[in-house]
Amino acid sequence: MEELKKSLLNETQNGYAQLTDSQRTEMENYCARYRTFLDTCKMEREATAWAVETAKANGFTEMVPGKEVKAGDKLYFNNRNKSIILAVVGSESLAKGANICAAHVDSPRLDLKPNPLYEDAEIAYFKTHYYGGVKKYQWATIPLAIHGVVYRKDGSVVSVTVGEDESDPIFYISDLLIHLSADQLQKTAAKVIEGEQLNVILGSEPLQGEGSDLVKLHIMKLLNEKYGLVEEDFLSAELCVLPAGKCREVGFDRSLLGAYGHDDRVCAFAELYSLFAIDTPKHTAVCILADKEEIGSVGVTGMQSDAFEYFMEMLCQAQGVNLRQCLANSFCLSADVSNAFDPNFAEVSDKRNNCKLNYGIAILKYTGSRGKAGASDASAEAMGHVRSTLDKAGVKWQIATLGKVDQGGGGTVAAYMANRNIVTVDAGVPVLSMHAPMELVSKLDCYMTMLACKAIYLA
Ligand code: MN
Ligand code: MN
């Protein structure tokens, strides 16, 4: 019976059962680098800037129209400082297609409104508008940082990062004290803290003298001294409020990583790291770090943008290849996080089809919700391709679906890649508390996702 079981049934095993000592060392090294990336790159601009710098250091050059391209060339295309596409040119013609890994580098956060600064009850605040799907109550009473850029009136740009250095101040959103929360606690969780209450405390000391709004004026004076800003400059700014602090190891065994924005920098880093590690592949390897995934992949830097075609066409033209032919023969791994099974909330998952921490990269045939709506729904052939590619490379992987059928769901860039006539499969790192200010992933799954991206590039 045991033998029959072994040969006929699909019984999965925890990834640690097969992890060799050398793999463990590699995993720890990889995760240490990932942590540095996370701590440096908390929004799409920072991730794009980091990718450009690191790519240059790894021999990548900027792709421009008309540039000659040969096998082994390493190229990047910076899409307006918010998204980046990189490629290592393969030995085969682009007519045979490319192997693409696509992740996103934007994460849920609070963006400043165009007119953010105000004073109320002698406290200065920024008004915000949340970006992406957040549980608003999670953002009160935690340490917050501000990241972003401001275009000043004279056209000069200033970068802002406050709240990350140990000596920096942090920022804060208040919640109601429990003692007076009788009414608040009767509300549904969606209403406990509402959008217009996500107001960020900036300070409380008034300038000394006559007049109103002297706390606000004090804050503006400080911003003027440090960054040369006047209030009107907020009209041309992208400033984000997000959780302050670094990625931390979690658990006595340190097997987990807790950080803001694993979704989806955990896949973005896996793609980048493995792209930097490969030599000339057979098929051209393409790595995408997209923006705006959290709000529908829209806009000029989102995955629905024609910027992808613009880059691929430059490559194709260099080889005299038709872009459509290249896309038709390409494969895309849409690398984005999935929901790890959480025994605290077991009721939302189909245990037999949910991914688990430490079982490797999660492969999803489809995402979507209520009848697979919005999913790209990979074919048996596409799933077979991924299965055999990962098995051959010795990558630990598992199957996943996003929650119980009637429970909800989600989607990512997969559908937009598939719409381009590219065979696409969803895959990614299992996460606990996705979209929370601190998300949790396992080191083993991070490492296996990096190996999976590498295997796809080299397929
Ligand atoms: Mn995502
Ligand atoms: Mn997300």
Side-chain angles (χ1 to χ4, degrees):
M1 283 304 165
E2 276 308 310
E3 248 169 58
L4 198 60
K5 253 184 158 177
K6 236 182 179 170
S7 63
L8 295 183
L9 300 186
N10 177 23
E11 286 179 354
T12 54
Q13 238 187 341
N14 188 295
Y16 275 98
Q18 298 136 333
L19 195 73
T20 64
D21 287 347
S22 70
Q23 279 182 316
R24 186 184 283 267
T25 310
E26 232 181 85
M27 174 182 91
E28 291 293 347
N29 288 338
Y30 172 72
C31 287
R33 291 188 192 192
Y34 172 49
R35 288 174 65 186
T36 314
F37 170 76
L38 274 178
D39 295 343
T40 324
C41 308
K42 288 199 167 183
M43 55 181 297
E44 65 280 356
R45 280 180 185 275
E46 294 159 346
T48 301
W50 188 93
V52 168
E53 283 318 302
T54 317
K56 281 184 186 165
N58 280 277
F60 283 69
T61 58
E62 192 173 9
M63 185 62 196
V64 289
K67 185 166 179 157
E68 274 183 45
V69 164
K70 58 178 192 310
D73 279 358
K74 299 175 171 190
L75 304 157
Y76 72 87
F77 167 65
N78 175 353
N79 185 4
R80 300 162 172 94
N81 299 324
K82 289 165 73 80
S83 163
I84 184 170
I85 311 176
L86 308 96
V88 179
V89 180
S91 51
E92 292 269 12
S93 158
L94 275 158
K96 299 270 176 71
N99 283 321
I100 304 164
C101 290
H104 67 92
V105 282
D106 60 316
S107 300
R109 64 188 182 221
L110 311 177
D111 286 344
L112 296 200
K113 289 193 183 189
N115 272 317
L117 183 62
Y118 73 101
E119 173 178 337
D120 198 349
E122 291 167 78
I123 303 171
Y125 291 95
F126 274 152
K127 286 212 74 72
T128 66
H129 192 145
Y130 55 91
Y131 171 95
V134 298
K135 288 182 170 180
K136 285 162 282 195
Y137 66 82
Q138 292 178 333
W139 292 71
T141 72
I142 61 167
L144 298 168
I146 297 175
H147 291 230
V149 296
V150 185
Y151 267 73
R152 289 179 292 212
K153 200 170 193 156
D154 63 1
S156 60
V157 189
V158 60
S159 286
V160 176
T161 312
V162 191
E164 300 296 353
D165 196 273
E166 285 294 307
S167 62
D168 280 357
I170 51 137
F171 305 93
Y172 188 85
I173 294 169
S174 64
D175 192 4
L176 190 56
L177 65 166
I178 182 72
H179 315 67
L180 299 179
S181 292
D183 291 343
Q184 189 199 35
L185 292 177
Q186 300 309 311
K187 295 181 181 176
T188 59
K191 299 251 174 189
V192 163
I193 298 280
E194 299 203 52
E196 293 293 347
Q197 290 175 313
L198 292 172
N199 301 319
V200 181
I201 293 179
L202 307 173
S204 64
E205 183 189 337
L207 284 179
Q208 288 310 301
E210 290 299 306
S212 60
D213 280 356
L214 295 180
V215 179
K216 171 180 169 177
L217 190 61
H218 188 192
I219 298 299
M220 206 57 243
K221 185 166 175 277
L222 292 171
L223 290 175
N224 184 267
E225 284 162 9
K226 179 134 195 219
Y227 302 106
L229 301 185
V230 294
E231 189 177 12
E232 200 188 343
D233 289 331
F234 288 120
L235 300 178
S236 51
E238 273 179 31
L239 291 170
C240 308
V241 177
L242 44 80
K246 291 180 158 58
C247 174
R248 300 289 298 267
E249 290 180 311
V250 175
F252 285 119
D253 62 5
R254 299 171 183 264
S255 61
L256 304 163
L257 294 175
Y260 163 70
H262 283 307
D263 178 9
D264 183 33
R265 291 175 294 158
V266 68
C267 296
F269 186 73
E271 286 184 5
L272 273 177
Y273 184 94
S274 52
L275 190 78
F276 294 154
I278 59 170
D279 293 323
T280 309
K282 187 168 169 222
H283 298 282
T284 296
V286 176
C287 165
I288 302 172
L289 308 190
D291 180 29
K292 297 280 181 280
E293 191 278 339
E294 296 295 356
I295 58 169
S297 298
V298 290
V300 74
T301 51
M303 205 57 247
Q304 297 194 63
S305 160
D306 198 57
F308 173 70
E309 279 75 11
Y310 179 65
F311 173 72
M312 292 304 291
E313 197 159 42
M314 283 193 276
L315 286 184
C316 285
Q317 275 171 352
Q319 295 188 356
V321 167
N322 178 285
L323 170 68
R324 288 184 171 222
Q325 188 185 356
C326 171
L327 299 186
N329 291 322
S330 292
F331 173 80
C332 177
L333 192 78
S334 168
D336 199 354
V337 295
S338 195
N339 65 311
F341 179 76
D342 188 339
N344 264 347
F345 302 97
E347 66 280 5
V348 303
S349 293
D350 166 13
K351 213 171 177 174
R352 289 181 187 82
N353 285 284
N354 210 101
C355 62
K356 296 197 280 189
L357 291 179
N358 290 324
Y359 276 69
I361 182 173
I363 309 293
L364 293 95
K365 186 178 185 300
Y366 53 87
T367 56
S369 54
R370 287 166 288 274
K372 297 189 179 182
S376 83
D377 203 359
S379 67
E381 291 88 337
M383 292 297 285
H385 170 65
V386 172
R387 179 183 169 194
S388 63
T389 303
L390 300 190
D391 282 347
K392 233 188 288 167
V395 179
K396 177 79 181 162
W397 64 277
Q398 58 182 324
I399 205 73
T401 59
L402 198 59
K404 275 187 180 165
V405 174
D406 287 332
Q407 193 64 43
T412 177
V413 302
Y416 307 117
M417 299 309 287
N419 287 348
R420 294 174 152 113
N421 197 24
I422 300 171
V423 172
T424 303
V425 174
D426 258 306
V429 175
V431 178
L432 285 180
S433 312
M434 195 192 296
H435 284 205
M438 182 178 269
E439 303 173 319
L440 211 58
V441 298
S442 97
K443 286 181 179 175
L444 186 136
D445 299 331
C446 293
Y447 173 60
M448 288 300 163
T449 299
M450 184 273 289
L451 293 183
C453 291
K454 195 173 186 176
I456 294 297
Y457 289 142
L458 296 176

